Amino acid sequence: MADKNYTELLNDLKDNKISELVIKPDEFTDFQVAFMNFDTRKRVVGKASQNGIITYTYQSDSGSNS
């Protein structure tokens, strides 16, 4: 029973409504289901931090590598 709608959050990330999505270890299993079904998941980039926290950002179609 997930508290968050991860598909909606991923869409918000894609649409630049949010700049990043922070996932804690206890959320990862629920998040992973939405992530694997997300149509542009290859553009979602995660950066691991201490304590198993992952911060996801969305790489737009801008064509820049920075």
Side-chain angles (χ1 to χ4, degrees), residues 3 5 9 12-13 15 17 24 28-29 33 35 51 57:
D3 294 46
N5 183 333
L9 289 168
D12 287 348
L13 192 63
D15 296 337
K17 292 180 182 176
K24 297 177 183 173
F28 187 77
T29 302
V33 173
F35 178 75
N51 301 319
T57 56

Side-chain angles (χ1 to χ4, degrees), residues 9-47:
L9 289 168
L10 284 164
N11 279 313
D12 287 348
L13 192 63
K14 177 182 175 182
D15 296 337
N16 289 318
K17 292 180 182 176
I18 58 174
S19 61
E20 64 183 25
L21 176 57
V22 178
I23 301 297
K24 297 177 183 173
D26 61 339
E27 300 175 289
F28 187 77
T29 302
D30 293 328
F31 168 77
Q32 184 70 7
V33 173
F35 178 75
M36 292 308 293
N37 291 314
F38 193 61
D39 60 343
T40 58
R41 72 177 176 268
K42 291 184 180 185
R43 293 183 179 269
V44 179
V45 178
K47 182 177 181 185

